[in-house]
Amino acid sequence: MPVRSSWYQVKPSDYSGYGFDRGHHCPSADRNGSVADNSATFLMSNMMPQAPNNNQQTCANLEEYTRSLVDAGQEVYVICGSYGKGGTGSMGYQTTIAGGKVTVPARCWKVVVVLPTGSNDVSRITANTRVIAINTPNDNAVSSSWGNYRTSVDAIEAASGLDLLSALPLSVQNMVEAKTDTGPSN
Ligand code: MN
Ligand code: MN
């Protein structure tokens, strides 16, 4: 990834003293195939200032649940991100950290597409494919139950301005993105 020399490079210590975790986008535990893969998850470009309970409970529980699906023979595609400005960590509300150089997001979201292990994945995704989407407040008062924050991919697209699952034909996107998961959540 090209880095402009004028861009500030965020340091781990920039997160100190604000009450937010260095929240991984891609979890360390999802990249344990090699030391290099795992180390890459600790790059600061994989971090967001995340309320500790959101990071360590809500999101961690979904990540653990997702790994249990993989252990049970599924493969998953996980997409995540954040948007908005202003969150409440363990020391209160902040809009930025690192002296204004890092925005504290207002919302943290994840989308998980679940498929039986196999090949030609795009062509196997149908209206019946399980797609879990959550959109959580970056607030330490968040519930630890990720299932409470389920929503549709369309709602995340509308809020974030992104087009997710864009490799799928539009007809399939329209079907899987409109629904909200009602499956088990632990
Ligand atoms: Mn859509
Ligand atoms: Mn889309």
Side-chain angles (χ1 to χ4, degrees), residues 15-30:
Y15 277 59
S16 298
Y18 294 97
F20 291 92
D21 281 3
R22 290 186 291 268
H24 284 67
H25 285 97
C26 179
S28 167
D30 284 3

Side-chain angles (χ1 to χ4, degrees), residues 153-154 157 162-168 170 173-174 177:
V153 171
D154 277 341
E157 288 182 330
L162 300 171
D163 178 10
L164 304 176
L165 311 183
S166 57
L168 296 175
L170 256 185
Q173 279 185 69
N174 289 341
E177 292 181 353

Side-chain angles (χ1 to χ4, degrees), residues 67-81:
R67 285 190 286 272
S68 78
L69 297 176
V70 172
D71 290 341
Q74 309 286 315
E75 61 179 294
V76 297
Y77 286 81
V78 182
I79 308 160
C80 75

Side-chain angles (χ1 to χ4, degrees), residues 97-111:
I97 63 169
K101 296 192 177 75
V102 177
T103 297
V104 176
R107 310 284 304 188
C108 307
W109 57 266
K110 266 187 204 292
V111 172

Side-chain angles (χ1 to χ4, degrees), residues 99-161:
K101 296 192 177 75
V102 177
T103 297
V104 176
R107 310 284 304 188
C108 307
W109 57 266
K110 266 187 204 292
V111 172
V112 182
V113 179
V114 185
L115 286 171
T117 300
S119 51
N120 300 313
D121 295 341
V122 166
S123 64
R124 295 191 294 135
I125 296 175
T126 69
N128 296 323
T129 299
R130 187 176 186 194
V131 176
I132 301 168
I134 67 164
N135 188 349
T136 68
N138 191 20
D139 186 324
N140 224 29
V142 67
S143 163
S144 61
S145 303
W146 61 265
N148 294 352
Y149 297 103
R150 282 181 278 196
T151 185
S152 67
V153 171
D154 277 341
I156 294 173
E157 288 182 330
S160 67

